[in-house]
Amino acid sequence: MKRILLGGIIIVSMVFSACRDHSKQSSEKSDKAAQVFPEPVEVKVIKLKKGIFENRRYTNGIIKSGRKAVVSFPMNGILLEMRAYNGKWVKKGEIIALLDTIEATVAIERARMQLERTHLLFLDNLIARGFDVKNLHNIPLDVLENSKIISGFKEAEINLEEALNNYQKCFVRAPISGIIAAMDNEIHGQITLGRQLCTIVDNSNLQVYFKIFQSDVLFVRPTTMVDIISLSDKNACSRAIIDYISPMIDENGMCEVSAIVTHNNCHFLTDGMHVKVSINTVHSNALILPKQAVVFKEDKPVVFVVKNGQANWTEVSIGSENDHYYLVESGLEPGDVVVIENNAWLGHNATIKVVDTVAYSY
């Protein structure tokens, strides 16, 4: 009886072991089948084509007035009156300061008296030489000039002209139209020749100066429009047109550029102001790649190109970029279909299922 029971247990154990081995083999076959025939990844794609690519580059710049004049006192004297003040707009030729004219007036009277005295000596010299002074136009010019020099009449004419000029210097006038700045002088104070009176800035003739990378020089040219943005208020924006691009690159790989301000909206720009400059460049007939199509593998840009239901790993060379697109330099061709969604974890030759073909949104 014991032998029969023991034999039954052995038979049951053998049957159970055989069933377990069969189940394990079936599971392994199922796993292998799953590996050979994986579930396709659902993706969205886009068909590449050429179009217009707009790119914005930003740099810092400084505003400078195209017309700015430093006004200095043209002579020594006493400051009698200030007819302008900081912030005042003045016209060219307008009197902005007045020096005491007493000494200048006396000098004019003295010069006139000298002129009258030497004029008599001039006529006496001609009479002594036998000429009719009532008809000076009949006397040779060289004789007249010689008599003026001998009599001192020529020098007296020059002295009177100088005295009149010095009198006019008492009235300091604006050399250009613009806004008064840096005016700081005391009335009735002693003024010396060359002392600075003020600076006049013409904010109607502004330029912006900035630098760009040497790689960007190819994308700008004279007449290219740029936007000028306030550092404190991004809504304060003006426009300028590039008028000069330096033919030289400095040691830092930068190129100097200047642009003439064409629209000073709200008049927020002024001389010496630091601003942000936005340069908008346009590339026509460019191959454009959506940014979401690019995956970086080991710091290299990679795109998955769809071929025969599979995603092929393709390295690309990309250039400029804007908010939504890259400019393709090499690696792709118009008509290529690339994955733009669910591409982060794709492997080379992964099986995919296209669920949507997206159109360009520019």
Side-chain angles (χ1 to χ4, degrees), residues 118 121-122 125-126 129 131 142-154:
T118 56
L121 295 175
F122 165 65
N125 181 269
L126 291 175
R129 298 172 67 175
F131 292 102
D142 59 334
V143 174
L144 291 175
E145 287 298 316
N146 182 265
S147 295
K148 285 182 178 181
I149 294 172
I150 293 174
S151 63
F153 184 60
K154 184 73 172 180

Side-chain angles (χ1 to χ4, degrees), residues 199-219:
T199 299
I200 301 178
V201 180
D202 181 6
N203 279 339
S204 65
N205 186 14
L206 297 176
Q207 288 184 288
V208 58
Y209 293 82
F210 55 95
K211 291 185 177 183
I212 59 175
F213 289 104
Q214 59 183 0
S215 58
D216 293 333
V217 173
L218 296 176
F219 303 112

Side-chain angles (χ1 to χ4, degrees), residues 108-133:
I108 290 174
E109 290 302 317
R110 186 180 295 112
R112 282 176 175 165
M113 291 174 62
Q114 181 189 14
L115 185 67
E116 292 176 1
R117 184 175 63 254
T118 56
H119 183 252
L120 294 175
L121 295 175
F122 165 65
L123 296 178
D124 288 344
N125 181 269
L126 291 175
I127 293 172
R129 298 172 67 175
F131 292 102
D132 183 5
V133 295

Side-chain angles (χ1 to χ4, degrees), residues 58-62 209-214 216 250-258 277 279:
Y58 293 93
T59 184
N60 293 323
I62 185 170
Y209 293 82
F210 55 95
K211 291 185 177 183
I212 59 175
F213 289 104
Q214 59 183 0
D216 293 333
D250 64 20
E251 63 276 8
N252 297 317
M254 305 295 288
C255 176
E256 291 186 356
V257 181
S258 68
V277 180
I279 309 168

Side-chain angles (χ1 to χ4, degrees), residues 310-322:
Q310 292 182 323
N312 295 330
W313 179 338
T314 304
E315 290 188 6
V316 295
S317 176
I318 53 178
S320 301
E321 63 179 284
N322 57 26

Side-chain angles (χ1 to χ4, degrees), residues 63 208 226-230 236-240 261 268-269 275-276:
I63 299 295
V208 58
V226 300
D227 292 324
I228 306 171
I229 306 168
S230 169
C237 185
S238 295
R239 303 213 75 190
V261 177
F268 80 94
L269 297 176
V275 294
K276 180 181 289 186

